[in-house]
Amino acid sequence: MIIDLHCHTTCSDGTLTPKELIQLAKAKKISVISITDHDTVDGLEEGKKEADKLGITFLNGIELAGSFKNEEEIHILGYDFEINEELLNTLSFMVKERVKRNQKMIKLFQENEINITLEDLEAISGKKIISRAHFAEVLTSKGYTKSREEAFKKYLNPGCPTYIPRQYFTPKQCIDIIHKANGKAVLAHPTLYNLGFEEIKNLIIDLKEKGLDGVEVKHSTYSYEQEAFLTNFVKKQSLILTGGSDFHGSIKKGLSLGSGYGTLVVPYRFYESLIRKK
Ligand code: AMP
Ligand code: MN
Ligand code: MN
Ligand code: MN
């Protein structure tokens, strides 16, 4: 049985709608799926409805960004939570903070004689959250930069005069938000934070003390060595093992739902241990 516990839709930065994503899962014979959009639960209702229709097991998911070191983030996945009033209020607080940040950045761009408007950003973001990725797209489409990479380098990375940091939850707050909604909190892709294996161990131990339930031990980007290291260590810590492709649709070339870059296999028992109630 094929399962995928990490993927994105148009509600964050993916290119398929929740409905299209579930239809793709059906075509790929995936039996369990979790939509884990960045900082939003907007796609879950539509995803669940289509999954019910097509006979796919659907798990509520989210990927929260927590502050980590200076201006870096770590990602905490939430699973199998209830979408209650408190959760929605917490998430909408962060969206409001983003709106304030975007207004400040637009003002800075205009002061630097770079014509970016809120309308430009809204035109390409649809119902998505507006992030620096959208600023990069507008800067490039208007000819201020040649590529998205150049847009980050010249204007959007920390240290650039038009960069404003956004508000973050701490990793502990991310874990608490998920627990308050009766979900499980999982550290996403620990190899993507520029840490060595010893530092990853320390991070996992630290987050475990803060209530972390599990770690993503299978991910499209892992080498064999990384996966083996994480699986061993996470088992020793008696934490839950999870995995997923981190599918984003056509913006991540060559990365498929369910199978990642071709070799990803997430075992069904990961899903079982995730939903087992304590
Ligand atoms: P924000 O949450 O608004 O700070 O923006 C984060 C978004 O910017 C994410 O979608 C990242 O993938 C993207 N991003 C951050 N840094 C870079 C970079 N150096 N090059 C390309 N995309 C980036
Ligand atoms: Mn993303
Ligand atoms: Mn992530
Ligand atoms: Mn992701």
Side-chain angles (χ1 to χ4, degrees):
M1 275 201 274
I2 309 168
I3 79 166
D4 196 334
L5 301 175
H6 189 161
C7 46
H8 297 268
T9 75
T10 47
C11 294
S12 64
D13 55 350
T15 58
L16 299 183
T17 65
K19 190 173 172 180
E20 289 166 343
L21 184 92
I22 300 301
Q23 288 171 346
L24 177 63
K26 180 72 181 173
K28 289 182 169 283
K29 301 188 165 47
I30 290 171
S31 55
V32 180
I33 194 152
S34 182
I35 290 177
T36 52
D37 275 312
H38 298 288
D39 307 317
T40 180
V41 294
D42 286 355
L44 300 183
E45 194 182 331
E46 182 184 318
K48 167 98 170 86
K49 196 170 153 212
E50 190 67 11
D52 284 350
K53 202 168 117 190
L54 299 179
I56 294 173
T57 301
F58 186 88
L59 202 58
N60 278 348
I62 192 165
E63 184 171 20
L64 296 174
S67 54
F68 181 54
K69 295 188 182 163
N70 278 340
E71 327 229 280
E72 282 188 56
E73 10 180 297
I74 58 169
H75 292 172
I76 304 286
L77 293 156
Y79 289 112
D80 201 21
F81 49 81
E82 294 153 18
I83 304 172
N84 58 30
E85 194 76 15
E86 189 179 1
L87 177 68
L88 292 173
N89 287 339
T90 307
L91 296 176
S92 80
F93 161 80
M94 213 34 111
V95 173
K96 283 183 198 137
E97 290 298 312
R98 248 186 200 286
V99 170
K100 286 191 226 163
R101 182 255 208 147
N102 289 340
Q103 285 165 342
K104 285 185 200 160
M105 280 180 56
I106 289 168
K107 193 157 171 275
L108 281 178
F109 274 112
Q110 289 176 348
E111 282 167 9
N112 283 276
E113 310 206 336
I114 293 168
N115 180 27
I116 289 191
T117 64
L118 184 60
E119 289 71 33
D120 295 332
L121 294 160
E122 281 174 346
I124 55 156
S125 64
K127 57 180 173 176
K128 286 188 265 185
I129 285 168
I130 296 173
S131 75
R132 282 180 293 148
H134 299 105
F135 280 86
E137 212 174 311
V138 172
L139 283 165
T140 309
S141 68
K142 287 196 155 183
Y144 291 110
T145 53
K146 289 194 195 68
S147 64
R148 289 162 54 115
E149 290 70 39
E150 191 190 339
F152 272 92
K153 223 164 141 192
K154 272 174 92 170
Y155 297 112
L156 299 169
N157 279 335
C160 295
T162 40
Y163 169 81
I164 302 235
R166 76 173 180 91
Q167 195 74 36
Y168 281 110
F169 294 118
T170 64
K172 169 86 165 74
Q173 283 173 321
C174 293
I175 293 168
D176 291 346
I177 289 165
I178 295 159
H179 282 170
K180 275 191 193 159
N182 292 316
K184 297 268 168 50
V186 169
L187 176 63
H189 46 59
T191 57
L192 298 185
Y193 311 126
N194 291 317
L195 303 174
F197 282 176
E198 281 310 306
E199 292 167 306
I200 290 177
K201 283 185 186 174
N202 292 336
L203 173 66
I204 292 171
I205 290 167
D206 177 54
L207 293 176
K208 187 181 165 188
E209 282 164 8
K210 296 182 164 76
L212 189 78
D213 301 293
V215 178
E216 192 170 49
V217 304
K218 285 182 180 276
H219 187 264
S220 298
T221 61
Y222 294 169
S223 65
Y224 176 79
E225 187 196 12
Q226 288 173 329
E227 183 180 311
F229 155 71
L230 285 170
T231 304
N232 276 330
F233 185 69
V234 173
K235 274 186 186 166
K236 265 190 215 145
Q237 292 293 319
S238 303
L239 291 165
I240 297 169
L241 315 177
T242 78
S245 64
D246 214 349
F247 177 77
H248 281 68
S250 58
I251 57 162
K252 290 202 180 175
K253 298 263 176 298
L255 200 168
S256 300
L257 188 66
S259 56
Y261 290 110
T263 54
L264 181 79
V265 181
V266 184
Y268 185 77
R269 65 174 184 280
F270 284 12
Y271 161 70
E272 292 176 308
S273 58
L274 197 51
I275 57 160
R276 200 172 296 141
K277 297 291 175 218
K278 281 179 194 145

